[in-house]
Amino acid sequence: MRGRNETEEERADRRWGELIQEIRVAQTGVQILFGFLLTVVFTPRYQELTSTDKGIYITTVALGACATGALIGPVSFHRLVAGRRIKPQTVQWASRLTFIGLVLLLATLVSALFLVLRVATSDHFVPWLVAGVVGWYLVCWYVLPLWVRHRYTTRDAP
């Protein structure tokens, strides 16, 4: 028999602990990036940006704010529903918020990378380089985990 011998509540407690550990990693990254992004507008170089680059910057900051909200959301969610005997549902919704936060973090990273490379160089290879990095993120964050999930959870798996 595969799996653990857990009650629904025990499983929810374990999954909550695992989710919080995952969120800590993602939150730290998004908060540091967001903090740096917030300072850019106060530098002298900001006024030299083209309107396109300022638009990319504003988009990046908005994405970072949304990612931060989604990744902090599970903590608030848990706090507001704690003690209501709905931990399995809380874990489900917090997991969804975390996934949305990771997608928004991906978009923030891509947007920030695109902006930095546009400002650092005017070469036409920037979109291709950013596309390559996006591909790498997608492989690391989604393709490989989904492949492993499929590979090891199908009925024919060893």
Side-chain angles (χ1 to χ4, degrees), residues 72-95:
I72 294 174
V75 175
S76 176
F77 198 107
H78 181 264
R79 188 56 22 227
L80 291 171
V81 301
R84 304 290 181 171
R85 300 180 190 261
I86 56 170
K87 188 136 204 196
Q89 295 83 1
T90 301
V91 171
Q92 236 179 1
W93 282 101
S95 181

Side-chain angles (χ1 to χ4, degrees), residues 47-106:
Q47 294 306 320
E48 298 171 17
L49 294 178
T50 66
S51 61
T52 300
D53 289 337
K54 286 180 180 177
I56 295 169
Y57 171 75
I58 291 166
T59 300
T60 304
V61 169
L63 287 168
C66 291
T68 300
L71 290 170
I72 294 174
V75 175
S76 176
F77 198 107
H78 181 264
R79 188 56 22 227
L80 291 171
V81 301
R84 304 290 181 171
R85 300 180 190 261
I86 56 170
K87 188 136 204 196
Q89 295 83 1
T90 301
V91 171
Q92 236 179 1
W93 282 101
S95 181
R96 291 174 182 152
L97 273 174
T98 302
F99 184 80
I100 291 167
L102 290 174
V103 170
L104 289 166
L105 175 57
L106 173 64

Side-chain angles (χ1 to χ4, degrees), residues 1-94:
M1 181 174 158
R2 295 177 80 172
R4 298 174 182 192
N5 189 16
E6 299 172 310
T7 66
E8 185 178 13
E9 288 298 316
E10 290 169 333
R11 183 176 305 108
D13 287 340
R14 178 182 52 80
R15 289 184 65 215
W16 179 256
E18 292 170 353
L19 184 63
I20 287 300
Q21 290 299 336
E22 295 164 3
I23 290 171
R24 283 186 181 128
V25 172
Q27 268 183 356
T28 301
V30 76
Q31 287 172 334
I32 290 170
L33 176 60
F34 187 56
F36 281 121
L37 285 170
L38 291 177
T39 66
V40 170
V41 74
F42 299 106
T43 64
R45 181 89 192 259
Y46 181 78
Q47 294 306 320
E48 298 171 17
L49 294 178
T50 66
S51 61
T52 300
D53 289 337
K54 286 180 180 177
I56 295 169
Y57 171 75
I58 291 166
T59 300
T60 304
V61 169
L63 287 168
C66 291
T68 300
L71 290 170
I72 294 174
V75 175
S76 176
F77 198 107
H78 181 264
R79 188 56 22 227
L80 291 171
V81 301
R84 304 290 181 171
R85 300 180 190 261
I86 56 170
K87 188 136 204 196
Q89 295 83 1
T90 301
V91 171
Q92 236 179 1
W93 282 101

